[in-house]
Amino acid sequence: LLAELLAADVVLVGAPMYNYSLPSTLKAWLEYIHVPGVTSASGEHTPPLAGRPAVLVTTRGIAYDEGTHTAGWDHGIPVLRLVLGSALGMSLSVIEVNLTMAEHTAESESRISRARAELAQAHQTATALASRLAPA
Ligand SMILES: Cc1cc2nc3c(=O)[nH]c(=O)nc-3n(C[C@H](O)[C@H](O)[C@H](O)COP(=O)(O)O)c2cc1C
Protein backbone atom coordinates (compact mmCIF):
# COMPACT_ATOMS: atom_id res chain seq x y z
CA LEU A 1 0.00 0.00 0.00
CA LEU A 2 2.83 2.39 0.75
CA ALA A 3 4.26 1.54 -2.70
CA GLU A 4 0.96 2.66 -4.27
CA LEU A 5 1.31 5.98 -2.48
CA LEU A 6 4.89 6.30 -3.70
CA ALA A 7 3.72 5.81 -7.29
CA ALA A 8 0.93 8.40 -7.09
CA ASP A 9 1.35 11.97 -8.36
CA VAL A 10 -1.12 13.18 -5.75
CA VAL A 11 -3.12 11.37 -3.06
CA LEU A 12 -6.75 12.40 -2.51
CA VAL A 13 -8.33 11.42 0.81
CA GLY A 14 -12.06 11.81 1.44
CA ALA A 15 -12.55 12.13 5.19
CA PRO A 16 -16.15 12.76 6.23
CA MET A 17 -16.46 13.17 9.98
CA TYR A 18 -18.05 10.12 11.57
CA ASN A 19 -18.59 10.24 15.33
CA TYR A 20 -16.10 13.10 15.75
CA SER A 21 -13.40 11.06 14.03
CA LEU A 22 -12.50 9.21 10.84
CA PRO A 23 -14.74 6.59 9.21
CA SER A 24 -13.51 3.20 10.44
CA THR A 25 -12.59 2.13 6.89
CA LEU A 26 -10.27 5.11 6.53
CA LYS A 27 -8.77 4.43 9.95
CA ALA A 28 -8.13 0.81 8.87
CA TRP A 29 -6.26 2.09 5.78
CA LEU A 30 -4.06 4.21 8.04
CA GLU A 31 -3.17 1.10 10.06
CA TYR A 32 -1.93 -0.53 6.82
CA ILE A 33 0.10 2.36 5.50
CA HIS A 34 1.54 3.61 8.79
CA VAL A 35 3.13 1.14 11.16
CA PRO A 36 5.37 3.32 13.34
CA GLY A 37 9.01 2.31 13.12
CA VAL A 38 8.28 0.06 10.12
CA THR A 39 6.82 2.27 7.39
CA SER A 40 8.02 5.48 8.99
CA ALA A 41 11.44 5.97 10.42
CA SER A 42 12.02 7.53 13.78
CA GLY A 43 14.73 10.05 14.54
CA GLU A 44 16.39 12.11 11.86
CA HIS A 45 15.63 9.96 8.80
CA THR A 46 13.78 11.53 5.89
CA PRO A 47 10.13 10.44 5.99
CA PRO A 48 9.21 7.94 3.23
CA LEU A 49 6.77 10.23 1.39
CA ALA A 50 8.61 13.49 2.01
CA GLY A 51 7.15 16.39 0.06
CA ARG A 52 4.61 14.36 -1.89
CA PRO A 53 1.24 16.09 -2.20
CA ALA A 54 -1.95 14.88 -0.55
CA VAL A 55 -5.32 16.61 -0.51
CA LEU A 56 -7.64 15.92 2.43
CA VAL A 57 -11.32 16.69 1.93
CA THR A 58 -13.38 16.73 5.10
CA THR A 59 -17.13 17.21 5.41
CA ARG A 60 -18.97 17.55 8.69
CA GLY A 61 -22.64 17.73 9.54
CA ILE A 62 -22.22 20.60 12.01
CA ALA A 63 -19.35 23.08 12.65
CA TYR A 64 -16.35 23.10 14.97
CA ASP A 65 -15.35 26.77 15.06
CA GLU A 66 -12.77 28.12 17.46
CA GLY A 67 -14.48 29.85 20.37
CA THR A 68 -17.61 27.68 20.23
CA HIS A 69 -18.44 24.78 22.53
CA THR A 70 -17.63 22.26 19.77
CA ALA A 71 -14.09 23.61 19.19
CA GLY A 72 -11.55 20.81 19.44
CA TRP A 73 -14.10 18.04 18.87
CA ASP A 74 -12.57 17.05 15.51
CA HIS A 75 -10.50 13.94 16.16
CA GLY A 76 -10.15 13.01 12.49
CA ILE A 77 -8.22 15.65 10.56
CA PRO A 78 -5.63 16.06 13.35
CA VAL A 79 -4.87 12.33 13.07
CA LEU A 80 -4.47 12.57 9.29
CA ARG A 81 -2.15 15.55 9.72
CA LEU A 82 -0.02 13.57 12.17
CA VAL A 83 0.13 10.36 10.14
CA LEU A 84 0.30 11.59 6.54
CA GLY A 85 2.01 14.89 7.31
CA SER A 86 4.27 14.53 10.34
CA ALA A 87 5.07 10.79 10.19
CA LEU A 88 5.08 10.10 6.43
CA GLY A 89 6.16 13.60 5.41
CA MET A 90 3.47 14.39 2.85
CA SER A 91 2.70 17.95 1.88
CA LEU A 92 -0.97 18.39 2.85
CA SER A 93 -3.75 20.62 1.58
CA VAL A 94 -7.01 20.48 3.53
CA ILE A 95 -10.43 21.34 2.10
CA GLU A 96 -13.06 21.68 4.81
CA VAL A 97 -16.83 21.87 4.43
CA ASN A 98 -18.97 22.33 7.54
CA LEU A 99 -22.71 22.18 8.14
CA THR A 100 -23.45 19.66 5.37
CA MET A 101 -26.59 18.60 7.26
CA ALA A 102 -27.85 22.17 7.72
CA GLU A 103 -30.58 21.89 5.11
CA HIS A 104 -31.94 18.71 6.71
CA THR A 105 -31.92 19.85 10.29
CA ALA A 106 -33.47 22.83 12.01
CA GLU A 107 -30.62 25.22 11.19
CA SER A 108 -31.09 28.97 10.69
CA GLU A 109 -31.07 30.58 7.25
CA SER A 110 -27.65 32.10 7.97
CA ARG A 111 -26.21 28.66 8.79
CA ILE A 112 -27.72 27.25 5.58
CA SER A 113 -26.18 30.14 3.61
CA ARG A 114 -22.84 29.48 5.24
CA ALA A 115 -23.08 25.78 4.33
CA ARG A 116 -23.70 26.65 0.67
CA ALA A 117 -20.88 29.20 0.65
CA GLU A 118 -18.43 26.70 2.16
CA LEU A 119 -19.38 24.10 -0.43
CA ALA A 120 -18.94 26.58 -3.28
CA GLN A 121 -15.58 27.67 -1.87
CA ALA A 122 -14.51 24.03 -1.56
CA HIS A 123 -15.29 23.43 -5.24
CA GLN A 124 -13.17 26.44 -6.20
CA THR A 125 -10.28 25.35 -4.01
CA ALA A 126 -10.48 21.82 -5.41
CA THR A 127 -10.38 23.12 -8.99
CA ALA A 128 -7.36 25.31 -8.22
CA LEU A 129 -5.54 22.45 -6.50
CA ALA A 130 -6.30 20.07 -9.37
CA SER A 131 -4.71 22.36 -11.93
CA ARG A 132 -1.68 22.95 -9.69
CA LEU A 133 -1.08 19.37 -8.50
CA ALA A 134 -2.34 17.27 -11.42
CA PRO A 135 -2.15 19.38 -14.59
CA ALA A 136 -3.79 17.79 -17.63
C1 LIG B 1 -22.14 7.34 10.95
C2 LIG B 1 -22.12 8.85 10.84
C3 LIG B 1 -21.58 9.59 11.87
C4 LIG B 1 -21.51 10.97 11.79
N1 LIG B 1 -20.94 11.67 12.81
C5 LIG B 1 -20.84 13.01 12.70
C6 LIG B 1 -20.19 13.75 13.74
O1 LIG B 1 -19.70 13.24 14.73
N2 LIG B 1 -20.11 15.09 13.58
C7 LIG B 1 -20.59 15.75 12.48
O2 LIG B 1 -20.45 16.97 12.39
N3 LIG B 1 -21.19 15.07 11.47
C8 LIG B 1 -21.33 13.72 11.57
N4 LIG B 1 -21.92 13.01 10.57
C9 LIG B 1 -22.37 13.76 9.38
C10 LIG B 1 -21.35 13.66 8.28
O3 LIG B 1 -20.07 14.07 8.66
C11 LIG B 1 -21.79 14.53 7.11
O4 LIG B 1 -23.09 14.22 6.73
C12 LIG B 1 -20.86 14.38 5.95
O5 LIG B 1 -21.17 15.37 5.00
C13 LIG B 1 -21.00 12.97 5.38
O6 LIG B 1 -20.33 12.85 4.20
P1 LIG B 1 -20.70 11.61 3.24
O7 LIG B 1 -22.11 11.88 2.79
O8 LIG B 1 -19.70 11.69 2.15
O9 LIG B 1 -20.62 10.35 4.06
C14 LIG B 1 -22.01 11.63 10.64
C15 LIG B 1 -22.56 10.87 9.59
C16 LIG B 1 -22.62 9.50 9.70
C17 LIG B 1 -23.20 8.72 8.53
Side-chain angles (χ1 to χ4, degrees):
L1 280 164
L2 200 61
E4 285 176 10
L5 293 185
L6 274 167
D9 290 332
V10 58
V11 174
L12 176 62
V13 180
M17 180 188 276
Y18 281 7
N19 291 307
Y20 311 104
S21 182
L22 304 172
S24 56
T25 43
L26 181 55
K27 183 67 166 37
W29 176 72
L30 288 184
E31 261 79 90
Y32 283 112
I33 63 164
H34 182 228
V35 181
V38 177
T39 63
S40 71
S42 52
E44 293 172 11
H45 297 278
T46 304
L49 296 169
R52 287 169 182 269
V55 179
L56 313 180
V57 182
T58 182
T59 54
R60 307 91 93 77
I62 62 167
Y64 299 89
D65 302 333
E66 287 303 318
T68 67
H69 77 286
T70 55
W73 288 15
D74 178 356
H75 301 284
I77 291 297
V79 170
L80 289 170
R81 285 187 189 279
L82 283 169
V83 173
L84 297 178
S86 303
L88 297 179
M90 301 190 88
S91 171
L92 304 181
S93 304
V94 180
I95 299 177
E96 187 181 292
V97 183
N98 294 288
L99 295 165
T100 61
M101 290 166 52
E103 298 199 41
H104 309 286
T105 55
E107 293 282 358
S108 63
E109 275 305 315
S110 67
R111 301 270 277 183
I112 291 172
S113 297
R114 175 181 161 187
R116 289 179 183 156
E118 285 200 22
L119 184 59
Q121 178 61 55
H123 286 156
Q124 279 187 19
T125 306
T127 303
L129 280 171
S131 54
R132 180 159 66 82
L133 298 174

